[in-house]
């Protein structure tokens, strides 16, 4: 396609690939994660002549998108990744779905075959736009390089406004090599996209009135508190209203775990005091939580004593989707709470708070400690104490994820990076790489099980090559722990396909990649090797050998209500 001669004033004739890189730099992108291939070679060629453009070569496309995800969650910026057409693009699908479920802002750039052969089943062709349509906030197929500056500018705006999420941009190979007259795009005109909703002050006033009439209110703080950067506003709202708080998994850090009114994480593996707070509350106030099934469990048994349920959320589609609510405050949480501060008064909740604090004291999180075995809960407590709760913790998915959620103290937003909605194994290590590159002065600890770590273990090479100082923790019980726990409790110990005893020697695996590897199987060894890991400048993998039969408690079985908790043999 020949470049148009129109609008050449103050424009420069460049290729689509060069225009892409310039547009990304103008959006403030300081690192892109990716993996090259035939359909994106022009884009990667343009990087050679652009020293300002920073790219991190991962060892798998899934590693690239999880790294971009970890970068986005930990910084609040938009994460960016690049992959080629066909298998490169489809390898991103799990990561796109992970980000979509958890409302993470990503711009995902894929190459495609030239427009001249699209639709012919050309080599490495896949209709990634159609494939990802259900798991993206929006996506683009670029047919003219002249559209690239506008599309990039729009994509970043869409990804990072309203309810945040991933946006995909698919660029055919000939478009990436097309010459056009480049001008930066500094304006937005997206028809039908108006994410800034005007607040309905009357609904917020109704909420404040409900608080005044309540004797047993509780706030459920979800991931939206973190994503809207509203942690300070929530803390101020709680201090004004004296309402106890429980958090979802993704809400951890959105309200300080050390606060006297924090009752714990609620839901499937929620703390006793947190779940009982929901079940006995007369007013539920959900702030940035979508009432997903892991929080509510049996919906018909959820919050049976609540006379009113209020929902604050930026996405109107979430209101009454899973739970019927009486008060709907649609809008950005920071804006809603800022208005609420002007009229908020303390609830009459003194006796309620006293009751919940007693529940928390009587039924704390417990485990059976041992002097002969290394318990995973002890390991997380040790990491918490030695880092003083100031590290960024990334996790994979499984028992270790719940132990980290229970026994690490999350007092700061964006300090827990974990896959909540999709529950993606393999997420922990690459997301830690992204978090570390986005926060070079912070300590990043990646907590993994021996199952999940093997799904993206190849990304250890990235840590070694670039000396990314992530501390990689592997809690090794030689089984798929969470699957084993469910088979033990629900399926009467009929264990099936959970044995991971044939896994590699993780210390030797780390050393093969050029990373220091350490191992501990006792408390004394654990303290010693963890201190050595913290004192090591670069990346370290530490394997903690833990017992196979350790389970996560409390636990609420599917089909039962939050107050029907299995507590283990501790009470």
């Amino acid at each position: 396609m020949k470049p148009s001669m129109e609008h050449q004033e103050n424009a420069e004739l460049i290729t689509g690939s060069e225009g892409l890189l310039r547009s990304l730099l103008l959006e403030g992108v300081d690192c892109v994660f990716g993996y090259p291939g035939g359909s994106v070679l022009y884009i990667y060629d343009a990087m050679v002549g652009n020293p300002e453009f920073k790219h991190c070569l991962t060892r798998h496309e899934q590693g690239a998108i999880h790294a971009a995800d970890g970068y986005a969650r930990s910084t609040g910026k938009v994460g960016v990744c690049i992959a080629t057409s066909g298998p490169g693009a489809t390898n991103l699908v799990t990561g796109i779905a992970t980000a979509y479920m958890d409302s993470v802002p990503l711009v995902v750039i894929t190459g495609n075959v030239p427009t001249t052969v699209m639709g012919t089943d050309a080599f490495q062709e896949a209709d990634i736009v159609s494939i990802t349509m259900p798991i993206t906030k929006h996506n683009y197929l670029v047919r003219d390089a002249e559209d690239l500056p506008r599309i990039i500018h729009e994509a970043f705006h869409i990804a990072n406004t309203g309810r945040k999420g991933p946006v995909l941009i698919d660029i055919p190979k000939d478009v990436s090599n097309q010459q056009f007259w480049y001008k930066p795009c500094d304006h937005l005109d997206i028809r039908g996209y108006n994410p800034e909703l005007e607040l309905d002050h009357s609904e917020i006033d109704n909420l404040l009135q409900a608080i005044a009439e309540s004797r047993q209110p509780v706030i459920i703080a979800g991931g939206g508190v973190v994503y809207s950067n509203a942690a300070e506003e929530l803390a101020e709202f709680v201090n004004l209203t004296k309402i106890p708080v429980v958090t979802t998994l993704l809400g951890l850090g959105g309200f300080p775990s050390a606060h006297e009114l924090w009752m714990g994480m609620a839901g499937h593996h929620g703390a006793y005091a947190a779940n009982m707070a929901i079940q006995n509350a007369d007013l539920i106030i959900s702030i940035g939580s979508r009432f997903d099934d892991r929080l509510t469990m049996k919906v018909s048994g959820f919050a049976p004593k609540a006379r009113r349920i209020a929902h604050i959320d930026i996405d109107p589609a979430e209101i009454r989707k899973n739970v019927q609510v009486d008060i709907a405050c649609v809008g950005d949480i920071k804006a809603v709470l800022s208005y609420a501060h002007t009229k908020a008064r303390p609830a009459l909740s003194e006796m309620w708070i006293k009751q919940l604090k007693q529940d928390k004291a009587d039924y704390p999180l417990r485990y059976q400690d041992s002097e002969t075995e290394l318990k995973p809960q002890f390991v997380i407590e040790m990491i918490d104490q030695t880092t003083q709760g100031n590290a960024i913790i990334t996790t994979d998915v499984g028992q270790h994820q719940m132990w980290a959620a229970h026994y690490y103290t999350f007092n700061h937003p964006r300090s827990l990076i974990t896959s909540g909605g999709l529950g993606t194994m393999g997420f922990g290590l690459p997301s830690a790489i992204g978090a570390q590159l986005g926060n070079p002065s912070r300590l990043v600890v990646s907590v993994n099980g021996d199952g999940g770590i093997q799904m993206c273990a190849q990304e250890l090479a990235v840590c070694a090559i670039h000396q990314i100082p992530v501390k990689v923790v592997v809690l090794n019980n030689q089984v798929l722990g969470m699957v084993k726990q469910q088979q033990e409790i629900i399926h009467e110990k009929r264990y099936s396909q959970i044995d991971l005893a044939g896994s590699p020697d993780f210390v030797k695996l780390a050393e093969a990649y050029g990373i220091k590897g350490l191992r501990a199987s006792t408390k004394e060894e654990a303290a010693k090797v963890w201190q050595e890991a913290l004192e090591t400048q670069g990346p370290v993998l530490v394997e903690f050998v833990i017992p196979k039969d350790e389970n996560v408690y409390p636990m609420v079985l599917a089909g039962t209500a939050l107050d029907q908790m299995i507590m283990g043999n501790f009470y």
Side-chain angles (χ1 to χ4, degrees):
M1 182 182 296
K2 293 183 179 180
S4 170
M5 298 298 290
E6 298 179 6
H7 310 299
Q8 294 183 21
E9 186 179 353
N10 300 320
E12 186 178 355
L13 186 62
I14 60 175
T15 66
S17 295
E18 293 168 326
L20 169 66
L21 302 193
R22 292 192 190 187
S23 297
L24 291 174
L25 289 172
L26 285 174
E27 296 295 335
V29 175
D30 50 26
C31 185
V32 169
F33 304 88
Y35 202 94
S39 290
V40 288
L41 285 185
Y42 289 121
I43 296 173
Y44 277 82
D45 182 63
M47 294 180 194
V48 176
N50 196 334
E52 294 181 63
F53 193 84
K54 305 300 180 185
H55 180 280
C56 178
L57 173 64
T58 59
R59 292 303 180 266
H60 192 286
E61 290 89 357
Q62 185 172 347
I65 193 163
H66 289 334
D69 187 313
Y71 174 93
R73 293 189 201 227
S74 63
T75 63
K77 302 176 183 178
V78 177
V80 183
C81 65
I82 300 177
T84 193
S85 64
T90 58
N91 278 343
L92 298 174
V93 169
T94 296
I96 296 172
T98 299
Y100 183 75
M101 289 283 280
D102 290 350
S103 304
V104 179
L106 298 182
V107 169
V108 180
I109 299 165
T110 55
N112 212 327
V113 298
T115 56
T116 53
V117 295
M118 289 182 74
T120 68
D121 292 330
F123 177 66
Q124 291 193 331
E125 180 184 5
D127 184 358
I128 196 63
V129 169
S130 297
I131 290 170
T132 60
M133 196 168 289
I135 53 170
T136 51
K137 190 174 177 183
H138 191 62
N139 54 29
Y140 295 89
L141 173 60
V142 186
R143 294 188 175 275
D144 191 329
E146 288 186 1
D147 296 328
L148 267 170
R150 172 186 59 81
I151 287 173
I152 295 295
H153 195 45
E154 288 181 1
F156 275 78
H157 178 71
I158 292 170
N160 209 28
T161 53
R163 180 175 180 172
K164 302 177 182 183
V167 176
L168 182 132
I169 303 172
D170 194 35
I171 308 175
K173 188 173 184 179
D174 54 335
V175 174
S176 67
N177 193 42
Q178 175 194 339
Q179 288 194 321
F180 75 109
W181 293 100
Y182 171 80
K183 281 187 178 181
C185 181
D186 57 2
H187 65 279
L188 290 164
D189 183 17
I190 307 173
R191 187 175 62 183
Y193 183 67
N194 300 295
E196 302 300 327
L197 302 173
E198 186 175 344
L199 295 183
D200 184 344
H201 292 161
S202 65
E203 280 291 86
I204 305 174
D205 292 340
N206 289 339
L207 169 60
L208 297 175
Q209 182 61 35
I211 292 172
E213 297 170 358
S214 169
R215 297 297 181 270
Q216 297 184 180
V218 65
I219 290 170
I220 301 173
V225 173
V226 177
Y227 301 149
S228 65
N229 298 313
E232 290 184 8
E233 285 76 10
L234 176 58
E236 177 64 15
F237 184 70
V238 171
N239 290 336
L240 289 170
T241 59
K242 308 301 180 188
I243 300 177
V245 178
V246 305
T247 51
T248 66
L249 174 65
L250 293 182
L252 288 170
F255 187 77
S257 299
H259 197 288
E260 64 172 353
L261 291 181
W262 184 69
M263 297 301 140
M265 182 181 74
H268 177 47
H269 284 293
Y272 179 89
N275 283 353
M276 295 306 292
I278 290 174
Q279 294 302 85
N280 290 314
D282 62 10
L283 172 64
I284 299 287
I285 307 169
S286 171
I287 305 179
S289 166
R290 57 189 176 86
F291 289 116
D292 77 296
D293 59 303
R294 280 297 176 102
L295 170 68
T296 63
M297 300 308 292
K298 183 180 179 181
V299 175
S300 62
F302 178 74
K305 298 181 181 179
R307 292 186 289 111
R308 291 183 181 178
I309 296 180
H311 194 174
I312 303 173
D313 203 287
I314 199 167
D315 184 0
E318 289 297 337
I319 305 296
R320 301 183 180 92
K321 186 179 81 173
N322 296 324
V323 171
Q324 284 298 314
V325 301
D326 307 287
I327 302 169
C329 302
V330 180
D332 180 72
I333 293 168
K334 184 187 283 284
V336 171
L337 293 181
S338 294
Y339 172 79
H341 291 167
T342 64
K343 298 183 178 182
R345 298 291 183 271
L348 299 175
S349 55
E350 294 87 352
M351 296 303 296
W352 171 237
I353 291 171
K354 184 177 179 180
Q355 175 187 332
L356 294 181
K357 285 184 175 181
Q358 191 62 53
D359 284 345
K360 193 173 181 180
D362 291 343
Y363 298 94
L365 295 169
R366 288 181 180 173
Y367 64 96
Q368 189 66 49
D369 203 1
S370 173
E371 295 304 319
T372 59
E373 293 181 310
L374 183 59
K375 293 299 183 79
Q377 302 94 329
F378 171 83
V379 173
I380 301 299
E381 288 179 329
M382 178 188 69
I383 294 172
D384 180 46
Q385 292 164 5
T386 54
T387 63
Q388 298 181 319
N390 291 321
I392 294 175
I393 304 294
T394 77
T395 81
D396 224 277
V397 172
Q399 288 180 315
H400 68 277
Q401 179 189 36
M402 294 298 104
W403 287 320
H406 280 163
Y407 293 97
Y408 196 86
T409 305
F410 296 99
N411 284 325
H412 309 288
R414 304 190 184 278
S415 55
L416 174 63
I417 311 300
T418 192
S419 171
L422 199 64
T424 304
M425 292 180 70
F427 179 81
L429 173 57
S431 66
I433 292 172
Q436 187 71 82
L437 291 179
N439 301 267
S441 63
R442 296 281 300 278
L443 172 64
V444 177
V445 179
S446 178
V447 180
N448 306 268
D450 50 317
I453 188 67
Q454 295 184 71
M455 292 194 173
C456 283
Q458 69 279 351
E459 303 308 331
L460 288 170
V462 180
C463 296
I465 292 167
H466 300 288
Q467 281 299 290
I468 299 171
V470 173
K471 311 309 176 190
V472 182
V473 170
V474 180
L475 296 178
N476 186 1
N477 57 6
Q478 299 187 43
V479 294
L480 286 170
M482 192 62 86
V483 179
K484 176 184 180 295
Q485 177 168 339
Q486 295 190 50
Q487 290 179 346
E488 174 184 329
I489 296 171
I490 302 170
H491 299 277
E492 300 175 338
K493 297 186 178 181
R494 293 191 299 276
Y495 299 123
S496 177
Q497 307 303 318
I498 56 169
D499 187 1
L500 296 180
S503 299
D505 181 320
F506 291 107
V507 171
K508 289 183 179 179
L509 180 65
E511 291 172 346
Y513 278 108
I515 291 175
K516 178 182 284 190
L518 303 168
R519 179 183 292 111
S521 56
T522 67
K523 286 184 175 180
E524 183 179 358
E525 290 174 352
K528 180 180 179 181
V529 299
W530 181 243
Q531 190 59 40
E532 182 177 348
L534 292 176
E535 292 173 356
T536 300
Q537 293 295 314
V540 183
L541 183 147
V542 186
E543 177 190 7
F544 295 100
V545 181
I546 62 173
K548 293 182 180 181
D549 56 356
E550 197 70 20
N551 285 338
V552 177
Y553 294 110
M555 179 182 183
V556 181
L557 298 182
T560 63
L562 287 177
D563 50 4
Q564 297 174 281
M565 287 168 276
I566 299 174
M567 301 297 293
N569 300 318
F570 307 124
Y571 301 98

